[in-house]
Each structure stands twice: as C-alpha cells, then as structure tokens.
Amino acid sequence: GSIAAPNTWACQRITCLQHHNPKLTTALEVLEKHAQLRDGNSDYSRALAFRKASCVLKSLPHTLTDIHQLRGLKDIGNHSAQVIEDILEEGFSNEVEEILNDPWFIKMKLFSSVFGVGSAIALKWIERGWEKIEDAQNSNDITSDWRVQWGLAFHDDLTSPVLRQEADNLLEVIREEATKLLPGVIVEIVGGFRRGKMSGHDADFLLTHPDEGSEIGLLPQLLQRLQKRGFLLAGQAEKNSFTPGVLKKDFKLSMKGQLDHFEKWIGIMKLPKSFKDKHTDPSSIIMPTPGSDPIDGSLDYQPSRKKAKCGISGLSPWELSRTERAWCARRVDLIISPFSQYYYGLVGWTGSKHFNRDLRTYSQKVLNMKVTSHGLFDFTKNQSIPAHSEKEVFDILKLPYHEPWQRNC
Ligand code: 8DG
Ligand code: MN
Ligand code: MN
C-alpha cells in the first residue's frame, strides 16, 4: 500500500543526514545538479522538482521498494517518479548514467567547482575549448574577479572537504579574538556543520551580541586581528545593507535567492594543516610566513590581474599556492547579525538551502507570512513578529521544532 504523506511540507518533516534511500537520492541529485547547470539562474523549477522528490525520500522511515508507496505525494513529480521506478526495477537509471558520462556535464561540474564560477562562466570556458582546470589556470586572459583568481590558484585546497575539526578549531580562534574585542559576543558555527555534517565546502560563522548595536564595527577589527595572526588569504567584506525600508521591500518582493543584508566577510582563510587534528591548541597558533600578510593592509583583497603580487611575500596567488606551506586554503563566511534579527538569521544560515526555500514557500502560502534571515512579517496582522529563540521562530510559523540536524533536506 502507499505511505500516507506524513506531512506536506519539507519544513514539517524530519530529514537527517543519514537516511534509508541514498541510492535514489544520489541519482535524483545528479538530475538536480544537471538542471541547475543547464538552466543557470533563469529557471529553478526543474532543479527544484528533483530536490523535492529527493527530500521526500530522505524523510522516509525505511528503504523504498515499490514506487506505489509514493502514490499521491505532491512532491514526487512524473519525471522523478520515472527515474525512481527505473532504479527500483533495473538497479540504475539510463538518464542518470548518461548524464554522469556526458562530457559537457563533467566539464560544467569541474569548472563550477571553482570559487566564484557559476554556470555562465563555466559555459564560457567550455566554449573556449577548455577541458581541464589547468586550461583556465594557464590562460592569462581570465576574469578579474578576485574569487576566480584565488579559486583557480587554490583549486585543490578549496575542493578538498573542510573537516569538522578544522571548523571547530577555527571557531575557537574566532571566539577568542572576538571576545577580546567584544566580551559577551556570541559566535556560532552555522551552515552544514551546525546540521551535523562532518565535512563541508566551507565553514560558516554567525556572530551577534545581546547588547544590540555593540556588534557595529566588530567585523573590521576582528578581521584585522585574524590578519595579524596570519589567517587571512583573500576576501571581501560587505557592509550591512539592512534598513527597515529594505526589509519591507524584501517582505513584499520575496528576497532573491539566498541573499541577505547582513554585514559579512566572504573569503578564503589559511588554516594550519594541524587544525585537522584534534589536539591542536588553536589559541597558540600564529601562521608562518611566507604569505602571512598578503592583504596589503586592506581588508578587501581583489587583485585585478592574475599576476598581481600580494603583500610582503610579493607572490601571485598562483605562486603562493605552489610554495611549501603548512596551511590549507579554506572558504570561510563570517556573518554579523544584530541581536533583534539573530534567531531568524540563525535559522536562515543553518539551512539547509532547501529547508529555507521550503520554509519561505510554506510561510507564504499557508500562513500569509513572509520569513527572511532578518525577520518575519505577518500580512494578516500587518505587523512583523520578533523571535527570542530558534524555537520561537518555529512556534510563530506553527511548525514542530526540529533540531538543526533534522533540517537536512
Ligand atoms: P556546505 O558548506 O557544507 O557545503 O553546505 P552549507 O553550509 O549548507 O551551504 P552554504 O552555501 O555554506 O550556506 C549556508 C547556509 O546559509 C545555507 O543554508 C543558505 C544560507 N544563507 C543565508 N543567506 C545567504 C547568503 O547570502 N549567501 C549564501 N551563500 N548562503 C546564505 O541565509
Ligand atoms: Mn557551508
Ligand atoms: Mn557558506
């Protein structure tokens, strides 16, 4: 018989990292990735359909054996159902196998694995006839985007998974430095690590302080301290662009993608290789030269040419990446939230991305509320509603509270 949908929305279901249908979800996520790369930013709908189906399978309490068990579930579209059926019956899906062997897909995946490269740039590189990362690395005519320059130079480092232990050690360093600047500061690991992942593509940290306003000015000072200790490789700070007016507009227009208005630093840090081991004492770490001060005294490092020299080492990103070094380049996001927005920010930056997306759609359609990383607006009551804990965010949204590790859809 069919399994009654336990709940209609992904944000109402429990979805853990470990589940009973990895073979099926891996296949569906290949199709999702393929759709993302093919349609770019212009059309999420195909990719979303595969993600929704994969998400249902992740929340099942057993291994699916018969497609009829999914009958009637709104999140299983025809295309996904067909693929699931093929795999259940044949052990594999032709469509998925073809994609995995498709040279275009393989190249698109490879190129979009570079920091700063999305499907549009990846496509351009393929059109130039490039096949390997080295083709882009060797070209002296590439985009001036600092992310792509560093992303290419440190591609090997940046595509090796960031370990939980590295994030934990970095958390200690950030907490230590931030607390010196602002006693009482709250620093949380967010993103995949907060959801219990053991590795990730970056480490995300959310900072706030209960005394609203005291967090202003923290980020530049924190970055300066991290730079002094040799942790910064390259990055870009963004100012807080939040105003109540902006929020109202966001509430009306539904914020585009994942973008929010928090002050943040998006960058690449140098983490000692010893951070991968348990027994480092992060508080004693000062990074060694060369390249310990590459940022030219400025917190934004955006070289305009590939051969741009950096800092006292005078090396280009590429040369720096080739030096004998005791550190690994790692993607890091630092986000600063005013305390009044913190719990919404915490839910938003914990994710998963699909959980957030589902949460927004659910809030809008079921509750006539708009939720973002900055707050929540109730259109029926025509007022915004503050939250003083993560649990309160769920309460306001009439959802059962789920721990971060249960939000892995
Ligand atoms: P991973 O790094 O382990 O691979 O996965 P992740 O930690 O879940 O993904 P992420 O790309 O690091 O994003 C972390 C969460 O932050 C994700 O759920 C989406 C959320 N998020 C926001 N605002 C923004 C934003 O402006 N940019 C990005 N990239 N993510 C945002 O709430
Ligand atoms: Mn992350
Ligand atoms: Mn991130």
Side-chain angles (χ1 to χ4, degrees):
S2 75
I3 300 158
N7 283 301
T8 314
W9 296 87
C11 59
Q12 297 174 313
R13 301 191 294 257
I14 288 176
T15 313
C16 299
L17 281 169
Q18 300 289 336
H19 59 85
H20 300 280
N21 294 283
K23 189 172 177 185
L24 293 169
T25 59
T26 305
L28 288 167
E29 281 166 26
V30 169
L31 294 167
E32 181 199 19
K33 186 81 196 170
H34 182 258
Q36 277 170 359
L37 292 173
R38 207 198 66 175
D39 304 337
N41 290 331
S42 62
D43 179 14
Y44 297 115
S45 61
R46 263 170 25 98
L48 180 59
F50 294 125
R51 168 60 62 167
K52 280 183 171 173
S54 149
C55 199
V56 168
L57 296 175
K58 284 181 184 175
S59 64
L60 291 182
H62 57 78
T63 303
L64 188 75
T65 52
D66 189 328
I67 185 74
H68 299 300
Q69 295 169 324
L70 297 176
R71 196 171 279 158
L73 297 195
K74 81 166 171 69
D75 278 355
I76 307 282
N78 291 339
H79 196 154
S80 295
Q82 185 58 57
V83 173
I84 293 168
E85 200 175 354
D86 288 346
I87 296 174
L88 289 178
E89 283 174 9
E90 310 287 332
F92 69 97
S93 150
N94 252 326
E95 189 183 2
V96 172
E97 295 307 311
E98 270 171 32
I99 288 173
L100 287 172
N101 290 313
D102 176 4
W104 181 87
F105 179 71
I106 293 169
K107 281 184 270 185
M108 283 295 280
K109 248 180 63 168
L110 178 68
F111 289 151
S112 62
S113 74
V114 176
F115 179 39
V117 175
S119 51
I121 296 178
L123 205 56
K124 258 193 228 159
W125 290 2
I126 290 177
E127 282 163 4
R128 291 180 189 172
W130 295 353
E131 310 238 323
K132 301 181 292 305
I133 291 295
E134 291 83 67
D135 295 333
Q137 285 168 337
N138 293 333
S139 154
N140 44 27
D141 168 43
I142 53 164
T143 162
S144 62
D145 187 331
W146 68 274
R147 293 173 305 167
V148 179
Q149 315 244 0
W150 290 92
L152 277 174
F154 286 90
H155 184 256
D156 288 348
D157 278 20
L158 295 175
T159 49
S160 80
V162 179
L163 305 183
R164 154 136 240 137
Q165 192 59 53
E166 295 180 275
D168 285 342
N169 281 323
L170 180 57
L171 173 67
E172 248 186 82
V173 172
I174 293 172
R175 259 195 196 140
E176 184 192 341
E177 296 301 342
T179 303
K180 282 186 212 158
L181 293 163
L182 182 61
V185 66
I186 297 168
V187 187
E188 284 285 345
I189 298 192
V190 288
F193 289 119
R194 188 157 187 264
R195 301 195 310 276
K197 284 175 69 177
M198 291 309 287
S199 68
H201 97 285
D202 68 356
D204 308 284
F205 300 93
L206 182 63
L207 293 84
T208 190
H209 193 286
D211 180 8
E212 178 122 355
S214 68
E215 81 285 353
I216 294 169
L218 172 64
L219 186 62
Q221 291 184 61
L222 176 62
L223 287 167
Q224 227 151 48
R225 282 177 169 262
L226 292 170
Q227 186 185 357
K228 270 200 184 126
R229 285 179 64 173
F231 278 96
L232 302 195
L233 185 57
Q236 186 166 23
E238 275 170 40
K239 293 217 167 75
N240 182 313
S241 57
F242 175 86
T243 63
V246 156
L247 186 58
K248 241 185 195 154
K249 205 174 97 210
D250 285 344
F251 281 145
K252 280 188 187 139
L253 295 175
S254 142
M255 263 197 292
K256 267 263 165 75
Q258 301 291 330
L259 295 182
D260 61 47
H261 299 282
F262 290 130
E263 183 183 18
K264 53 173 84 74
W265 183 82
I266 307 280
I268 304 173
M269 287 199 193
K270 292 183 285 171
L271 300 198
K273 286 180 178 155
S274 63
F275 268 26
K276 293 175 192 185
D277 309 323
K278 249 204 171 81
H279 303 293
T280 342
D281 174 12
S283 66
S284 63
I285 292 278
I286 294 178
M287 295 294 297
T289 49
S292 70
D293 185 14
I295 308 209
D296 265 349
S298 124
L299 298 171
D300 294 350
Y301 185 66
Q302 301 170 57
S304 57
R305 328 203 75 247
K306 190 182 182 203
K307 293 298 172 201
K309 305 292 178 190
C310 51
I312 54 169
S313 66
L315 301 174
S316 70
W318 176 253
E319 288 162 344
L320 190 57
S321 74
R322 305 277 107 183
T323 56
E324 194 71 45
R325 51 195 166 83
W327 49 269
C328 207
R330 257 70 179 86
R331 273 275 298 111
V332 175
D333 292 334
L334 303 176
I335 302 99
I336 309 284
S337 170
F339 195 63
S340 60
Q341 300 166 22
Y342 176 66
Y343 294 103
Y344 289 104
L346 187 57
V347 170
W349 274 88
T350 298
S352 70
K353 274 175 194 141
H354 184 63
F355 177 87
N356 292 348
R357 185 164 46 188
D358 195 70
L359 194 69
R360 287 193 299 265
T361 315
Y362 158 85
S363 308
Q364 203 171 340
K365 295 206 166 153
V366 178
L367 305 173
N368 195 25
M369 292 178 182
K370 184 78 106 219
V371 64
T372 75
S373 283
H374 301 282
L376 181 144
F377 196 86
D378 184 333
F379 282 96
T380 307
K381 294 182 179 162
N382 195 31
Q383 65 184 30
S384 64
I385 305 177
H388 308 89
S389 69
E390 230 180 348
K391 166 89 167 51
E392 229 181 278
V393 174
F394 282 74
D395 287 347
I396 294 165
L397 292 171
K398 299 182 171 56
L399 290 170
Y401 181 71
H402 291 148
E403 299 291 341
W405 48 272
Q406 299 173 321
R407 302 176 207 161
N408 279 293
C409 46

